[in-house]
Amino acid sequence: MALQFKRPPLKAFIYWATVLGVWAIIFVTAFIAVFSFGLPSIDDIDKVEKQPAITYLDRSGALIAVQGSQSAPPVNLDELPPYVPAAFLAVEDRRFYHHPGFDPVGILRAAMRNATKKGGNLAGGSTITQQLARNLFLSSDQNMKRKIQELIMAVKLELKFTKKEILALYLNRVYFGAGAYGIEAASQRYFNKPAKELTIAESALLAGMMKGPSRYSPLSDSERAQNRANIVLNEMVEARVITPEQRAEAVSKPLKVTKTLATAHALYFIDWLSSEVQPIAASAKEDLIVETTLDLAIQTDAERAVQRIMERDAKKKVEQTALVAIDGEGRVRALIGGVSYADSQFNRAIEAHRQAGSSFKPFVYLTAMEAGYNPLTPVVDEPFEIGGWSPENYTKKFLGPMDLQTALAQSINTVAARVANDVGRENVARTARRLGIDSKINTDPAMALGTASLTPLEMARAYVPFSNGGYKVAPHGIIRIRTTSGKILYQYREDVRTQVIANPPLAYMNQMMRQVVISGTGNGIKIPGNYDLAGKTGTTSDYRDAWFVGYTGGFTTAVWVGRDNNTPMARVTGGGTPAAIWRDFMASALTRIKTSAIPTGPVSEMDEAASAAVDELLNSSPAANDNAVPPMVTMEPIPNPEDQQPAPTDADDIFSEAQRRNQ
């Protein structure tokens, strides 16, 4: 009979405990090895990659905005008021100084919540060290693998750095939304001050954002952000880092948040450039500097004009506006896509297609001038019908005989519709496209009254040839993109300039649109000083859209006002709100730029004698100096075409005679 050996209970316990311990060590080692595979080294903490920051400069080198990963120099923890880090510890990790990188109590509490929770998103329980590990080295995926990797990296951080160093790294690296990384960048972003000047209330708001930088951002929902900040203040009182009296004082004073970057202007303009900048930024290894065409001083003039006039005319049910100012080379110098970027990021200057109204008429009249008409060509404002449609004037009245110059100045619908029909509506559409209109242009009988839907940028572009001597432009906002080390990644190159308006039609059109400003529907835009101004108003028949597009030599501005839901305004016309914005803006902008008379156009198309003859006919010789206004021709309405005296010889006859004399 075999002998049976039986260990005493104590020895048996020690034996099996040892066996289980060895296997536990093997299992834990294997477990950690599996989940540590592919994790970055803690030694790479200063090599963490981020998306390049993009700095936008205006045409003179002034800072417009910084986008992308906006960082700031790290702050020294000792320089911050004690309540700043305390706010984060109170709400995020009360036992920060007493755990080894993970908090077993917090993990257990989160595990119990997750056991009764449906869905893939796991509850929190992460310490500040774990959050730092996640922000620096891991993704934000909510799954078990990432949570385990986060714990492993947190322990590694605790073994390498002191608690003070970990807290400093956290405050300087954590994301606060709106492109701001670190407490210093966040303080500048939201409060326009350095972090060392943060108040208790401001610190609580920033700490509260850690639960969700977008959800609790004061830019997206100020009430929700304030409620979250109040919770943080309560936690700070409970943790005894502030007194109840300090909490009461913090709550009593409303927080003032800067809605845009302290160094940022023209965010609609920056958004417009993003489609060009982002593909370059995606492959860049360095931070980028984008040199733009924007003139920050002029942009500020535009913002002030918009705010003042829109507040003034709010009672007229005017809700939104767009403004584009562009020079004779196609450089966009100012751009506004709406009343408030913080309230709406929809860029109406670029994306809103709105009916042009009578601001489309210059394309009709230019087509007529190129077909042999001139400003003195007699016409009659009277009822008539085209294909069953009868145009009506704004006043519902008919003025009888007049000339084309008067018809444009007074924005007579019947004349514009008849002229478009006579010269061919397809030809009018081709003229508009030639000058820069890319949107679809319908050719129905009412097309002369501006039934086409165009963007403010298109409209500004199409008027530029009137202001620059007849040349088409390509609107652009970027001059150059370079890295911070100086490597050029993009340089704007101008294509060969294309002449799209010749003389005498160009001279005729400038003369006629000057008259719009002198005695017509745009006479409200007069600016003190000797400025050579021209332009055209535009109003849709139901007051859904109102425009003023005007220019001087080499500088054009288009202004649109309306409502996003396309409902009517309270009888707002192009000569009203948009003209007032244009006047307010241009009165300041023209003092900042070198102004000149509107160019007479490409002389290469006419010899000197012919050019002089046309100038004599129009009485519009160039001004003697940059600020002088060329003499104007005032055309009285013709009483009756049959009774009038023989009309003066037109420009075509003078041109032909001058050529004959010089042969």
Side-chain angles (χ1 to χ4, degrees):
M1 185 167 133
L3 294 174
Q4 292 184 348
F5 175 75
K6 187 176 182 180
R7 294 187 180 91
L10 180 59
K11 288 185 177 181
F13 174 78
I14 294 173
Y15 171 79
W16 288 111
T18 302
V19 171
L20 290 174
V22 170
W23 279 107
I25 292 172
I26 293 172
F27 174 78
V28 170
T29 302
F31 182 86
I32 293 175
V34 169
F35 282 96
S36 296
F37 181 76
L39 287 178
S41 170
I42 293 294
D43 295 332
D44 294 333
I45 194 165
D46 293 323
K47 301 177 183 178
V48 178
E49 292 187 4
K50 65 181 182 66
Q51 289 295 315
I54 305 171
T55 299
Y56 293 86
L57 305 178
D58 87 337
R59 63 193 304 267
S60 64
L63 180 64
I64 303 173
V66 179
Q67 288 195 338
S69 301
Q70 183 196 355
S71 303
V75 295
N76 188 327
L77 211 60
D78 294 331
E79 294 179 357
L80 295 175
Y83 51 74
V84 174
F88 291 83
L89 294 177
V91 73
E92 291 294 318
D93 192 356
R94 192 85 62 88
R95 286 180 288 274
F96 173 72
Y97 287 103
H98 307 289
H99 61 63
F102 62 93
D103 184 0
V105 176
I107 292 174
L108 180 61
R109 184 171 58 246
M112 293 176 63
R113 287 201 302 269
N114 291 332
T116 59
K117 184 178 179 181
K118 295 181 179 180
N121 289 333
L122 303 179
S126 296
T127 64
I128 277 181
T129 313
Q130 287 175 268
Q131 292 180 44
L132 178 63
R134 179 173 67 245
N135 289 330
L136 292 182
F137 303 109
L138 303 172
S139 70
S140 57
D141 297 338
Q142 291 288 334
N143 55 55
M144 186 59 70
K145 178 182 177 181
R146 201 272 298 155
K147 295 292 287 185
I148 294 170
Q149 290 179 326
E150 177 184 290
L151 191 148
I152 294 170
M153 294 300 293
V155 173
K156 288 184 177 182
L157 286 171
E158 290 277 349
L159 292 173
K160 184 175 179 64
F161 300 102
T162 66
K163 288 287 187 180
K164 184 176 181 181
E165 288 172 334
I166 289 173
L167 184 56
L169 281 169
Y170 175 80
L171 291 176
N172 283 311
R173 296 291 187 90
V174 73
Y175 183 56
F176 286 87
Y181 287 83
I183 188 73
E184 181 66 24
S187 182
Q188 295 286 356
R189 172 64 182 87
Y190 294 105
F191 303 112
N192 193 18
K193 63 168 66 172
K196 63 183 180 181
E197 296 179 9
L198 286 170
T199 65
I200 292 175
E202 292 165 348
S203 303
L205 187 143
L206 293 179
M209 292 175 65
M210 295 301 94
K211 188 175 181 180
S214 297
R215 177 173 174 78
Y216 294 101
S217 168
L219 304 184
S220 59
D221 191 326
S222 58
E223 184 177 355
R224 183 190 293 143
Q226 184 63 68
N227 290 338
R228 176 65 180 162
N230 291 342
I231 292 173
V232 176
L233 290 170
N234 292 339
E235 294 287 333
M236 293 174 73
V237 171
E238 187 176 326
R240 298 184 180 180
V241 295
I242 61 172
T243 65
E245 291 75 20
Q246 287 176 307
R247 179 202 178 280
E249 183 182 2
V251 172
S252 67
K253 297 178 181 179
L255 285 171
K256 294 182 179 180
V257 176
T258 304
K259 284 201 170 186
T260 56
L261 281 167
T263 56
H265 299 262
L267 294 180
Y268 289 112
F269 176 79
I270 300 302
D271 283 354
W272 174 50
L273 303 185
S274 292
S275 61
E276 293 182 71
V277 175
Q278 290 304 325
I280 297 174
S283 58
K285 302 300 182 184
E286 299 180 60
D287 289 347
L288 302 182
I289 296 174
V290 181
E291 300 171 11
T292 76
T293 62
L294 193 82
D295 189 313
L296 204 49
I298 292 177
Q299 174 71 21
T300 301
D301 290 335
E303 292 170 357
R304 290 172 178 167
V306 162
Q307 292 300 322
R308 194 181 79 81
I309 301 301
M310 292 299 287
E311 288 177 7
R312 186 197 74 178
D313 290 357
K315 60 183 179 297
K316 298 179 181 179
K317 299 181 180 179
V318 182
E319 292 183 354
Q320 282 297 346
T321 187
L323 179 151
V324 178
I326 183 171
D327 67 22
E329 302 297 322
R331 295 173 293 223
V332 174
R333 305 282 288 274
L335 187 147
I336 291 178
V339 173
S340 169
Y341 184 88
D343 295 337
S344 170
Q345 288 78 57
F346 178 61
N347 196 337
R348 295 156 190 84
I350 309 300
E351 302 174 74
H353 287 75
R354 307 296 296 231
Q355 282 198 350
S358 294
S359 59
F360 188 84
K361 288 177 181 174
F363 310 129
V364 174
Y365 284 93
L366 174 58
T367 308
M369 298 300 113
E370 292 174 338
Y373 292 64
N374 68 66
L376 307 182
T377 299
V379 289
V380 181
D381 175 18
E382 61 184 355
F384 81 103
E385 186 177 288
I386 305 175
W389 172 73
S390 298
E392 288 186 345
N393 293 321
Y394 172 74
T395 61
K396 308 296 183 183
K397 299 178 181 179
F398 301 99
L399 302 180
M402 62 180 61
D403 53 53
L404 288 182
Q405 179 167 267
T406 302
L408 180 62
Q410 300 302 323
S411 201
I412 304 299
N413 288 341
T414 59
V415 173
R418 187 192 295 270
V419 169
N421 191 61
D422 291 347
V423 301
R425 295 189 294 274
E426 285 288 352
N427 292 330
V428 173
R430 278 192 285 270
T431 297
R433 284 192 285 268
R434 189 176 80 229
L435 268 62
I437 299 298
D438 294 322
S439 296
K440 181 180 178 181
I441 302 173
N442 58 59
T443 54
D444 58 43
M447 67 100 70
L449 309 190
T451 55
S453 294
L454 313 175
T455 68
L457 179 65
E458 280 183 297
M459 194 64 95
R461 177 193 189 186
Y463 270 65
V464 169
F466 296 121
S467 78
N468 72 356
Y471 294 96
K472 184 178 182 178
V473 299
H476 59 282
I478 299 175
I479 298 172
R480 183 168 62 173
I481 301 176
R482 57 183 170 86
T483 65
T484 50
S485 64
K487 182 180 179 181
I488 305 298
L489 303 180
Y490 170 84
Q491 178 77 50
Y492 177 77
R493 304 291 183 189
E494 183 181 15
D495 295 331
V496 177
R497 298 189 79 189
T498 303
Q499 182 186 318
V500 291
I501 313 177
N503 265 322
L506 177 60
Y508 287 156
M509 288 305 303
N510 283 330
Q511 176 62 20
M512 294 168 71
M513 284 198 275
R514 286 188 183 106
Q515 204 64 34
V516 172
V517 172
I518 292 171
S519 62
T521 56
N523 65 356
I525 63 100
K526 293 174 182 176
I527 296 172
N530 275 330
Y531 296 111
D532 188 7
L533 305 177
K536 185 67 187 78
T537 57
T539 312
T540 56
S541 58
D542 48 10
Y543 303 103
R544 297 177 194 270
D545 302 280
W547 298 76
F548 187 82
V549 189
Y551 57 93
T552 187
F555 194 79
T556 302
T557 300
V559 179
W560 164 87
V561 301
R563 296 162 66 105
D564 284 341
N565 60 10
N566 206 31
T567 55
M569 297 175 285
R571 299 183 67 84
V572 173
T573 66
T577 303
I581 292 173
W582 192 95
R583 182 190 61 234
D584 252 29
F585 165 60
M586 292 290 280
S588 297
L590 289 177
T591 64
R592 303 182 189 276
I593 62 176
K594 183 179 180 181
T595 60
S596 63
I598 299 168
T600 55
V603 198
S604 59
E605 292 297 306
M606 299 187 291
D607 61 32
E608 291 184 8
S611 179
V614 172
D615 284 338
E616 182 180 354
L617 171 70
L618 297 177
N619 195 22
S620 58
S621 57
N625 57 66
D626 284 348
N627 291 325
V629 179
M632 303 300 170
V633 177
T634 303
M635 305 305 301
E636 297 295 334
I638 303 170
N640 188 315
E642 288 78 13
D643 297 338
Q644 69 177 5
Q645 297 297 319
T649 305
D650 65 20
D652 287 339
D653 292 337
I654 293 177
F655 176 78
S656 300
E657 178 62 19
Q659 283 189 319
R660 184 188 62 78
R661 286 198 306 265
N662 283 274
Q663 287 178 350

